[in-house]
Amino acid sequence: MTSVRPRADLATLPSYVPGRTIPGAIKLASNEVPAGPLPSVAKAIAEAAMQAHRYPDTGAGELTARLAGKLGVAEAQVAVGNGSVSLCQQLIQATCTSHDEVLFAWRSFEAYPIVTHVVGAKQVRVPLTGDHALDLDAMLAAITPQTRVAFVCTPNNPTGTIVHKAELDRFLDAVPSNVLVVLDEAYFEFVTDPDAGDGIDHLRERENIAVLRTFSKAYGLAGLRVGYAVASEEISDAVRKVCVPFSVNHLAQAAAIASLDAEEELFQRVHEIKGERDRVRGELVAAGYDVPESQANFVWLPLGERTAEFNEHCIEHKVVVRAFVGDGARVTIGTPEENDVFLTAAKSFSR
């Protein structure tokens, strides 16, 4: 009797590893913001829950219109998805076959190789620079006639480094027009560097750009899963065609709209996180750690082979960080009190 079997190549596919939650420990592993929804957002979620017996608007029309107006683009250029990670996969599905290549820096967002493999395209990884930043020259050199998508994660997850506007302009000028450059800006709202670029500005100048952003980070809606892509009308239409119907639920859409209404109050929280990020990095550097300047809501400790040991040391001190064994540890910025507990643990680690 023949049994149905999954694709053989999935045996080699690594699973996405979420940040661990340990009872009684401070979780600084998933780049979540420390505060819960604002009262106005929580109220919108509660009211939306009363319509949970109805299907959501599969096109997220009201949210799409709000985002288009905020960004100054056409509504047809916006595609809302179940978190920006689902849009990563939809962009590959919309542009690639098994004969095509997807290019990205490594280490970068760990979902890139997973979603590329799921679609069936070939992944091409380009090492970071010695300063833990994207090496755009090396990425450009890695483009082949088979390259269809190039992910540029800025600020880069997990290192927090950014691509400056001037270097991104040079890269985009040299990339073939048939390669879609995806500017993954999940942490855009945490950027303070005046030389950083804005993906929407680049999109206005070029057709082969897609910009990804999310409500999971600065807007504090990680548990509701809503993100968006902005691209040409042709690309955005293709992205919508490959989405799972009704994938962005009614509560998520209502919460995102309410969060746009409450941006001023939410971004005060973001301002506080940016200040804590700089404080935490400063204390780590003073303690002797090599920590690249971060423009996200986390810091990166490139500990190499000592990463696992550092991870266990932090757990012993009731702090959960995100360990990429062999490379380094990513530590989310929490409340000042949580950050102090982490700093105490980090300073007591024997180096």
Side-chain angles (χ1 to χ4, degrees), residues 24-193:
I26 296 169
K27 183 185 179 187
L28 301 178
S30 297
N31 298 344
E32 300 148 330
V33 294
L38 292 171
S40 61
V41 177
K43 181 175 183 288
I45 294 171
E47 291 175 352
M50 299 305 296
Q51 297 297 317
H53 61 300
R54 303 294 187 189
Y55 283 108
D57 174 4
T58 192
E62 185 178 354
L63 178 56
T64 295
R66 287 292 301 274
L67 289 168
K70 169 183 167 65
L71 300 172
V73 299
E75 290 184 30
Q77 291 183 263
V78 179
V80 174
N82 188 11
S84 60
V85 64
S86 71
L87 291 160
C88 289
Q89 182 166 319
Q90 288 170 236
L91 283 163
I92 298 172
Q93 289 174 313
T95 55
C96 295
T97 69
S98 60
H99 303 291
D100 300 320
E101 296 176 351
V102 176
L103 174 71
F104 48 85
W106 196 253
R107 179 172 288 275
S108 192
F109 183 31
E110 61 187 303
Y112 295 155
I114 297 173
V115 296
T116 301
H117 191 126
V118 167
V119 173
K122 178 184 177 182
Q123 55 180 278
V124 178
R125 306 186 188 191
V126 178
L128 299 175
T129 68
D131 295 325
H132 316 290
L134 272 62
D135 190 336
L136 293 188
D137 289 337
M139 290 180 68
L140 187 62
I143 292 176
T144 73
Q146 286 71 49
T147 306
R148 289 293 171 267
V149 176
F151 282 99
V152 175
C153 188
T154 179
N156 185 46
N157 178 11
T159 62
T161 53
I162 63 166
V163 174
H164 291 101
K165 184 180 186 306
E167 60 179 323
L168 183 56
D169 279 333
R170 290 193 295 272
F171 175 76
L172 295 174
D173 285 343
V175 171
S177 60
N178 65 334
V179 174
L180 179 67
V181 178
V182 181
L183 302 179
D184 189 345
E185 297 183 337
Y187 301 92
F188 175 79
E189 292 83 3
F190 297 100
V191 174
T192 57
D193 190 324

Side-chain angles (χ1 to χ4, degrees), residues 99 236 239 250 257:
H99 303 291
S236 295
V239 167
H250 185 53
I257 292 167

Side-chain angles (χ1 to χ4, degrees), residues 245-261:
F246 310 113
S247 58
V248 182
N249 69 67
H250 185 53
L251 274 66
Q253 293 183 42
I257 292 167
S259 294
L260 291 174
D261 290 336

